[in-house]
Amino acid sequence: MATFLYKLGRLAFRRRRYVALIWVALLALAGFGAASASTATSSSFSIPGTEAQKAFDLLEQRFPAASADGATARIVFKAPEGEKMTDPAHKADVNKITAELKSGSDQIASVVDPYAGKAVSKDGSTAYVSVTYKVNSMELTDATRESLEDSGAAAQKSGMTVEIGGDALQVMPETGATEVIGIALAAVVLVITFGSLIAAGLPLLTALIGVGIGVSSITALANVLDLGSTTSTLAMMIGLAVGIDYALFIVSRYRAELAEGREREEAAGRAVGTAGSAVVFAGLTVVIALVGLAVVNIPMLSKMGFAAAGTVAIAVLIALTLVPAMLGFVGKRIMGRKARAAAEAENKPDAKPNMGTRWARFVLRKPVWVLLVGVIGLGTIAVPAASLEMGLPDDGSQPTSTTQRRAYDLLSEGFGPGFNGPLMVVVDTANSSDGKTAAKQVGDEISSMKGVVAVSPATFNKAGDAAMITVVPKDRPSSVETENVVHAIRDAGTDIKSDTGAEVLVTGATAMNIDFSEKMNDALLPYLALVVGLAFLLLMVVFRSILVPLKAALGFLLSVVAALGAVVAVFQWGWLGSLFGVEQTGPIMSMMPIFMVGVVFGLAMDYEVFLVTRMREAYVHGEKPGQAVVTGFKHGARVVSAAAVIMIAVFSGFIGSSESMIKMIGFSLAIAVFFDAFVVRMAIVPAVLALLGKRAWWLPRWLDRVLPNVDVEGEGLRKELADTANGAGDAGPDAGDARELTRV
């Protein structure tokens, strides 16, 4: 592989104008497609194989007029102190608003009058109007939203409190100014790392081109592939981070080759042949982790993984082709005066050891202590992960400054906590001899259950073969008690089906959340086994070792559990929540742990591959195991540290998002990268390698013969160049240069 990438790097360097033109043309084509595409809507949410999804599909089939997948809204009214919503004046205001809503938009499917629909609290202080739309929230027009938002203005003038809940007010997430700050911090880190504005700007430019192509392609295909509104944000987050890092690896190696006296084209070829090999395998681990999300069998999550994986693949191709092409354009300006002086000083025999060298030597002297401090420290931070509670967000998790949250609180006060999470029970009576009796039996059975406060009469469809029953639990939607009610209804449904032939199914947002969380829990271990197993095999091929990949996987698991502990402490317990803009604590997003595992595993392997490949390279060339660790840190620690800081900066930029899922994922990825890069890779990894010695690179002979030799270290490339140089001999003035190419 190194030989192929070497030739590719030299070709891209020589044909830089054509390579740059191709990538610019791809960016323009993707941009045109994105500009021509219609606005993306929210991705359709489904959970195949769950009872909630089966019931939802049955509702759409038997009750098509109910607009089961349409947006909903609740306009909540609270009368002033000492007054009631049944007072004639307030009643007149509400009736007027109801009439205006019905005629205000052709997107409205139904509007339920609170007085006719019994939507007034027992004490008369609170009432609400239910609005159902024909389309989902992302397809609502601005005029429809404005009509909804203005609906309570007249009532507020009369002294009533008016708030609006539901998903009808849901809008595209905003990332805020912190995303730009994250990119700016990445630029600062690059300038400090390279000491040159041109060298710092090149990784940013190529990463932005790659992200531009990836995100524009996602936008262009969003409606065709039902990708949803958050997919491009996550692809941007991951693509930007890896794009900068991969370009950083190539540029750093190119500068090192120049410092050793290589010609520019040769330096570009060698940089792509060596660091490019690490980029390819690091990118493969990220792609494996993201594509592996498909094993969860949740279409929305799978599409997010595939889209992000595509952006990572583009970042790898950019690093292997566009980066060496751009190196051809910038010339020797890639190294500033200070950088050249530092490189010359570092190559002197009496040069002062750099920070990476000093740190590696310290770890080699105290490997046991470093290992213990690292493991115990991460283990302590991981303790809160034992209290992890998962769920999906509802209006109760919104900041208290939003009207959705205030409407949620008003409904809880007036009707009880469980009113915000009603359960929809669907009774399929197609195979029942007496559907009405079966439906009544279901209602009576549910009414007698603990934790249920209200059960509506069964409503049949026109065909009379299905009925809907609304159940209001006693406790809030995300509580364990409500989850127990859902399971109790389903257990009772088994007996009812055997008695009457009617099938009882539970759905609704609350039941969907419960089924989704359970599905994510069930999928976590198989997903871990698949991703870690495939990556273990890949790293075994890369490092020609069994213990090094095993150490990499165990270190990753430690950093992920510690990151989960930090997420629980901040977002569930509220520790330092105000620092990260967490206004409301609650359960951790159900998809966050598995998504974090997938992304962080891939990113963690970036540092493992780049850092340990340098150690393997030195060991293969005859250095002792301890000295190989020092050599790896001498050349790789600065780059890996810079890459990690850049990733942390980029991910931290998304903490400012208004979307709770994006905020939580941004924080989790940033803290996980910090733990993995600076504790696991920089401390635990060298400590373990120091303790293992030569055993770290042990591989059974039979396995060595079976595994393909991908030559990540570039050993085959060096031999080929050495043979070429030896064949040239002293034939001409270029012979010295040819022999110089063999110098490491």
Side-chain angles (χ1 to χ4, degrees):
M1 174 178 284
T3 303
F4 168 76
L5 293 178
Y6 165 79
K7 294 177 180 177
L8 178 64
R10 295 194 61 166
L11 177 65
F13 187 93
R14 287 197 308 271
R15 306 295 185 187
R16 48 188 172 272
R17 289 180 177 82
Y18 295 108
V19 173
L21 184 62
I22 289 171
W23 282 110
V24 171
L26 288 174
L27 178 61
L29 183 63
F32 176 77
S36 304
S38 55
T39 304
T41 63
S42 59
S43 178
S44 57
F45 183 75
S46 62
I47 318 173
T50 62
E51 181 175 316
Q53 185 63 46
K54 183 179 178 181
F56 185 83
D57 295 339
L58 185 65
L59 274 176
E60 285 193 319
Q61 179 185 352
R62 306 282 179 87
F63 294 87
S67 299
D69 59 344
T72 59
R74 280 176 172 173
I75 306 171
V76 187
F77 304 89
K78 184 176 178 63
E81 190 69 29
E83 300 179 21
K84 294 186 177 182
M85 289 305 303
T86 52
D87 293 345
H90 297 323
K91 192 172 182 179
D93 287 338
V94 173
N95 286 334
K96 182 180 178 182
I97 290 170
T98 303
E100 290 175 351
L101 278 171
K102 289 180 179 178
S103 60
S105 172
D106 57 2
Q107 290 185 313
I108 291 179
S110 65
V111 179
V112 180
D113 185 311
Y115 304 103
K118 297 181 179 179
V120 181
S121 62
K122 290 182 179 180
D123 62 2
S125 65
T126 310
Y128 67 91
V129 175
S130 294
V131 185
T132 304
Y133 294 87
K134 299 174 183 177
V135 296
N136 63 46
S137 60
M138 290 301 172
E139 294 176 338
L140 292 177
T141 63
D142 291 338
T144 300
R145 282 203 180 91
E146 288 173 6
S147 173
L148 177 63
E149 290 171 346
D150 295 341
S151 60
Q156 285 179 324
K157 291 179 182 178
S158 65
M160 285 189 291
T161 301
V162 185
E163 304 294 350
I164 304 172
D167 62 353
L169 294 182
Q170 181 181 346
V171 295
M172 293 286 286
E174 299 176 359
T175 53
T178 50
E179 178 188 349
V180 179
I181 295 173
I183 296 176
L185 286 175
V188 171
V189 174
L190 286 169
V191 171
I192 295 173
T193 303
F194 289 131
S196 165
L197 288 174
I198 292 177
L202 195 150
L204 275 176
L205 175 63
T206 55
L208 288 172
I209 291 174
V211 168
I213 294 173
V215 172
S216 296
S217 300
I218 292 170
T219 304
L221 299 172
N223 283 327
V224 177
L225 302 179
D226 191 27
L227 295 179
S229 57
T230 59
T231 304
S232 59
T233 306
L234 294 171
M236 181 193 301
M237 182 193 301
I238 297 165
L240 193 60
V242 300
I244 295 174
D245 277 9
Y246 295 164
L248 171 64
F249 294 161
I250 300 292
V251 173
S252 176
R253 189 61 181 252
Y254 173 75
R255 283 160 51 103
E257 296 292 338
L258 286 180
E260 292 186 5
R262 310 274 190 258
E263 292 297 323
R264 289 169 52 219
E265 182 180 329
E266 179 66 18
R270 284 179 175 255
V272 177
T274 51
S277 297
V279 166
V280 169
F281 280 93
L284 272 177
T285 57
V286 180
V287 170
I288 287 173
L290 291 170
V291 172
L293 291 170
V295 303
V296 183
N297 193 28
I298 293 178
M300 182 186 71
L301 195 60
S302 300
K303 291 171 186 175
M304 288 166 61
F306 282 122
T311 307
V312 171
I314 292 172
V316 172
L317 294 175
I318 288 270
L320 300 180
T321 56
L322 183 58
V323 170
M326 297 300 291
L327 290 173
F329 285 116
V330 300
K332 294 184 178 180
R333 290 171 295 176
I334 196 69
M335 295 187 74
R337 293 179 181 178
K338 291 184 178 180
R340 283 196 294 269
E344 291 172 2
E346 190 173 319
N347 287 330
K348 291 180 180 179
D350 58 344
K352 180 182 177 181
N354 62 16
M355 181 74 74
T357 301
R358 296 197 298 273
W359 171 251
R361 288 173 178 170
F362 169 77
V363 175
L364 289 175
R365 289 196 302 270
K366 307 285 186 180
V368 176
W369 285 108
V370 172
L371 181 62
L372 287 175
V373 170
V375 172
I376 293 173
L378 290 181
T380 302
I381 298 172
V383 169
S387 303
L388 175 67
E389 295 178 8
M390 293 199 298
L392 287 181
D394 54 22
D395 286 346
S397 62
Q398 296 269 12
T400 53
S401 58
T402 62
T403 185
Q404 295 97 320
R405 171 59 189 275
R406 292 195 293 267
Y408 180 97
D409 292 339
L410 287 176
L411 289 172
S412 295
E413 293 170 8
F415 299 90
F419 192 79
N420 284 291
L423 306 175
M424 181 62 67
V425 178
V426 185
V427 186
D428 184 359
T429 60
N431 298 320
S432 176
S433 57
D434 189 347
K436 291 186 177 180
T437 301
K440 185 177 183 304
Q441 181 180 343
V442 172
D444 293 341
E445 186 80 20
I446 296 173
S447 298
S448 63
M449 290 181 180
K450 181 182 178 181
V452 174
V453 296
V455 178
S456 71
T459 302
F460 278 85
N461 62 345
K462 291 182 180 180
D465 58 357
M468 291 189 301
I469 300 174
T470 302
V471 179
V472 178
K474 178 183 178 182
D475 298 285
R476 58 190 176 88
S478 58
S479 66
V480 176
E481 290 79 8
T482 300
E483 183 177 346
N484 293 336
V485 169
V486 172
H487 290 305
I489 296 173
R490 288 173 174 171
D491 292 340
T494 304
D495 297 332
I496 291 172
K497 184 176 181 179
S498 61
D499 294 339
T500 66
E503 187 173 11
V504 180
L505 303 170
V506 185
T507 189
T510 302
M512 278 278 197
N513 291 354
I514 292 170
D515 287 356
F516 183 82
S517 298
E518 290 179 352
K519 193 174 182 71
M520 298 300 289
N521 280 333
D522 294 341
L524 185 57
L525 287 180
Y527 174 72
L528 270 175
L530 174 69
V531 172
V532 175
L534 288 176
F536 178 84
L537 294 175
L538 190 64
L539 292 177
M540 193 161 58
V541 171
V542 172
F543 295 128
R544 318 295 297 179
S545 165
I546 292 178
L547 295 179
V548 170
L550 180 62
K551 172 260 313 167
L554 293 176
F556 151 76
L557 292 174
L558 183 60
S559 60
V560 161
V561 176
L564 276 177
V567 170
V568 170
V570 173
F571 288 89
Q572 188 175 308
W573 292 357
W575 292 4
L576 301 177
S578 59
L579 182 64
F580 299 100
V582 181
E583 296 184 35
Q584 180 61 38
T585 59
I588 303 305
M589 208 85 56
S590 296
M591 69 173 65
M592 196 284 299
I594 200 166
F595 191 84
M596 186 189 75
V597 165
V599 175
V600 173
F601 184 80
L603 300 181
M605 294 306 105
D606 283 2
Y607 308 128
E608 179 75 16
V609 169
F610 190 78
L611 188 62
V612 181
T613 295
R614 274 283 191 164
M615 299 178 192
R616 169 75 181 173
E617 186 178 335
Y619 179 75
V620 167
H621 284 81
E623 291 188 8
K624 293 182 178 180
Q627 183 56 39
V629 172
V630 174
T631 301
F633 269 77
K634 175 184 176 181
H635 295 290
R638 182 182 178 87
V639 177
V640 169
S641 298
V645 172
I646 288 169
M647 276 202 179
I648 292 169
V650 172
F651 290 145
S652 297
F654 290 85
I655 297 176
S657 173
S658 60
E659 179 71 24
S660 56
M661 183 178 77
I662 301 296
K663 179 190 291 288
M664 194 178 293
I665 288 179
F667 173 83
S668 65
L669 294 181
I671 198 72
V673 168
F674 174 79
F675 290 152
D676 197 90
F678 292 105
V679 181
V680 174
R681 308 303 153 192
M682 289 292 178
I684 294 177
V685 164
V688 172
L689 291 177
L691 293 173
L692 290 175
K694 290 184 178 181
R695 289 168 293 183
W697 309 107
W698 171 77
L699 186 70
R701 291 183 179 179
W702 66 269
L703 189 56
D704 187 40
R705 291 192 298 268
V706 172
L707 292 177
N709 188 359
V710 294
D711 189 27
V712 174
E713 300 86 9
E715 180 64 18
L717 171 63
R718 286 182 175 80
K719 287 181 179 179
E720 183 176 327
L721 294 174
D723 291 342
T724 302
N726 291 333
D730 296 322
D734 292 332
D737 291 340
R739 284 192 295 273
E740 175 66 19
L741 297 180
T742 66
R743 186 167 62 89
V744 178

